[in-house]
Amino acid sequence: MGTFPLLSVYTIGGIKLSSAFVVSAMAVYMAAMVAIGLVLRRQATKSIDDFGLAANRFGSAVIAAVSIGAWVGSAGLIGLCASSYTGGVVSWWSYASLYLVTLPWIFFFVSRLRSLKLFTIAEFYQKRFPGRNGAIQYLVGGGFALKYCMMMGLQFNALAFLFTTVLGWTHVQGVLVSAAIILFYTGISGFLSVMVTNFIQSVFQTLCPFLMLGFVLHSLGGWQPVAQFYTSAGQPQMLSLFQGFGWVKELIYYCITMGLLVIVGNQDDLQRVASAKNDAAAKKGLYLGTFLVLPILLVPCYIGVAARVMLGPDIEPNMVFYTLMMKAGPVMGVLLLYGVLSTIMSCASSTLFAGGMIISKNVIQTYLISRKNCVVTDKQDILLSRVGILLCTIFSIGLSLWFQGIMELMDVVMSICAAALVIPYLFAWFSKRMNTEGAIAGILAGGGTALVWTILGRPWGLDAIWVGLPACLAGCLIGKCFGSAPTEEEVQATYYFQEKFRRTPAVKK
């Protein structure tokens, strides 16, 4: 492990600054996030509802702001800047597709999910398929825990790249410091801390890409040099969001592969839904966040294509944004630094908390309750939630160090999870005949087939989800034959068209 170069000197915008100044600027920011967590600690630990859901506290504006914060993240800022630097503005579709698919989830399921008062997505499956001693929670919880650990590893890597660029730290140092800071302020005050800090961070991170684009275009003398560069290089399509009909292929591919899992919902989105004052605030906030995040995500794409003109073609893509940041003036550089920190840490905290709650609720507590017949009190529930957050952090550190380029692996994990979980999810809402045995068989068949197909290298270029979904459906239908019909109580626990979902709850004023 290398040393921490606290006496080094860096040049930002032609002005020499000691790394002690840069470290101090970062320390002030991170200390503020930790202080907020400490202030909220007493209020956030009154009950598991307060700690786990920050229940019924926030209006649509806050829901929208923190959703944007979580949805942009390092992949939306650093990742899109990198992919557009090499592939053009059309890279936007690969990320934006996830939030286009969010719209039907909001419309069809959000109000019903709120009425079910869930802590995790796996609990939804358990309500409808409770047989086999809650085995389905292990499968669903394990799949989502892996997904969130992958996402968390991506955030750790993004912060580590920042520390490497600005401070000269090793990747290991950057990951460990990032993990320690995010773990502390997320674990101490739970989801209330996540919501409040994310709302504050949303201001910095929304400004960040616009500031960077303005700096790059000012340095180049406007957009015209960028257009001339790509025209002269015979690559005008790099500046096109559509590139003929290529965008249609990109949109369909990502909606059906990575995006299809969004139909099930994200754990962090579910927690934001539960934190809203009422159904109207939840839906309005999510709709507003979705329609705002789509144009915001365009900005890093244009930064990426302009950066190729400003920096040349030889920069490592993941370092493009940070390299540009080092060329900004000291005031702009610090603002951009805070923007990057906000972008990564807002996504990281919500992701870490989501992964930790899944591990706690659907693995640890499911085992204690179903196998050991334990009764978990509120105090113990909060403690176990913190244990889950710690375990999620440890697993994520391992993944971030093992796969420093984690985005491709993330695509694979989301495709496998979608192949396993989407069809049983739809059966839980709309079928009166599907039983626990069928749902479990479908998850195993779909996920297992998709995993094997991926290991085989995706023969014929066919994504794993195309073979996993039919296998899941077949597994559900065949497995159903080996169990008894569901009881009326099981069906009515989640059946989409039942009377309790049709009643419109009173709106809180």
Side-chain angles (χ1 to χ4, degrees), residues 266-289:
N266 288 313
Q267 175 63 28
D268 46 334
D269 288 336
L270 178 67
Q271 288 165 176
R272 281 187 285 276
V273 164
S275 73
K277 291 180 179 179
N278 48 50
D279 287 3
K283 297 180 77 169
K284 183 179 178 181
L286 289 171
Y287 278 131
L288 182 61

Side-chain angles (χ1 to χ4, degrees), residues 307-344:
R308 193 173 187 86
V309 182
M310 183 172 175
L311 303 176
D314 299 323
I315 304 296
E316 202 284 316
N318 286 321
M319 307 302 287
V320 167
F321 193 93
Y322 298 137
T323 304
L324 291 171
M325 186 177 72
M326 296 296 287
K327 291 182 176 294
V331 175
M332 177 71 76
V334 170
L335 288 175
L336 290 171
L337 175 65
Y338 280 6
V340 170
L341 287 171
S342 296
T343 299
I344 298 171

